Amino acid sequence: MDVRTFTVGPLQENCYLVRRDGGERALVIDPGEEAPRLLGAMEQLGVTPDAILLTHTHFDHIGAVAPIARATGAPVYCPRDELAVMRDPSAFYPPMFGPVEGWEAEHALDGGDTLQLDGLDVEVIATPGHSPGHVTFAIDGALFSGDVLFQGSIGRTDLPGADHATLMASIAALLERFDDETPVHPGHMGLTTLGRERATNPFLQALAGR
Ligand SMILES: [Fe+2]
């Protein structure tokens, strides 16, 4: 699997371009901003996106969804509980964050879904807490976890619809299910692993011994 990371926008959000090694079709995860740069990178790599996958719909993760969907025809897969936000972000976010263009997602995602896209098995795991419908994608043994877990930190839970205990339960479920070696591609900051965060992340000490 070939994973390219593009850190975009003022909040330094990570957009991922994921494909099989040498593949010409790719998945775009959380295109948060800078659509021209992302489209240019795909063109340079000779890659066509087949799907746009969203972990959640906070404005810093969806700013380039509409322009990329329109330019490429790639369908958008959005968590079911956050379809309304993707449809009309301006109804949810103050103008100071925007404007973020809305998009009617072609597919709704639920935890437990398994998608076959571009020869990759994409498992959709419900990981609410940071946002109500937040999902994590497990692809080829790696996690694309949006704003659930970061290097040395966890997703914030001071925003509407967030809940700290729910987030901790989501993280605990990931730690229980996946090996320590599992790579974690987060929505902000650098690549980490579940084991590294289990051992060193101060926010996970409450889960110690699990
Ligand atoms: Fe977020």
Side-chain angles (χ1 to χ4, degrees), residues 84-100:
V85 184
M86 188 65 252
R87 186 179 300 129
D88 185 14
S90 62
F92 293 85
Y93 302 121
M96 60 181 272
F97 293 133
V100 175

Side-chain angles (χ1 to χ4, degrees), residues 75-86:
V76 175
Y77 292 71
C78 176
R80 184 178 302 280
D81 288 348
E82 301 189 16
L83 288 168
V85 184
M86 188 65 252

Side-chain angles (χ1 to χ4, degrees), residues 37-190:
R37 176 182 160 211
L38 296 172
L39 288 166
M42 286 187 261
E43 194 178 329
Q44 212 161 32
L45 289 165
V47 162
T48 309
D50 264 346
I52 298 168
L53 305 179
L54 306 179
T55 60
H56 67 302
T57 54
H58 282 160
F59 67 93
D60 55 322
H61 289 249
I62 61 169
V65 168
I68 291 179
R70 191 183 308 109
T72 65
V76 175
Y77 292 71
C78 176
R80 184 178 302 280
D81 288 348
E82 301 189 16
L83 288 168
V85 184
M86 188 65 252
R87 186 179 300 129
D88 185 14
S90 62
F92 293 85
Y93 302 121
M96 60 181 272
F97 293 133
V100 175
E101 191 182 343
W103 189 263
E104 186 71 48
E106 282 78 3
H107 300 280
L109 294 172
D110 294 300
D113 287 351
T114 305
L115 315 169
Q116 270 85 36
L117 297 167
D118 297 335
L120 295 166
D121 290 331
V122 179
E123 188 189 345
V124 181
I125 303 165
T127 49
H130 171 71
S131 74
H134 197 298
V135 299
T136 288
F137 301 109
I139 309 175
D140 202 19
L143 299 178
F144 295 84
S145 55
D147 291 356
V148 169
L149 181 62
F150 304 118
Q151 272 182 15
S153 188
I154 59 174
R156 54 192 291 188
T157 50
D158 57 341
L159 302 166
D163 182 73
H164 180 75
T166 304
L167 176 65
M168 295 310 290
S170 292
I171 295 171
L174 292 177
L175 288 170
E176 204 157 298
R177 161 132 186 239
F178 292 93
D179 295 341
D180 277 354
E181 296 70 35
T182 304
V184 176
H185 300 270
H188 300 271
M189 300 184 276

Side-chain angles (χ1 to χ4, degrees), residues 6-15 28 30-42 59-65 67-68 99:
F6 302 90
T7 303
V8 298
L11 294 188
Q12 299 283 282
E13 187 267 344
N14 293 329
C15 170
V28 183
D30 288 356
E33 257 266 33
E34 301 187 42
R37 176 182 160 211
L38 296 172
L39 288 166
M42 286 187 261
F59 67 93
D60 55 322
H61 289 249
I62 61 169
V65 168
I68 291 179

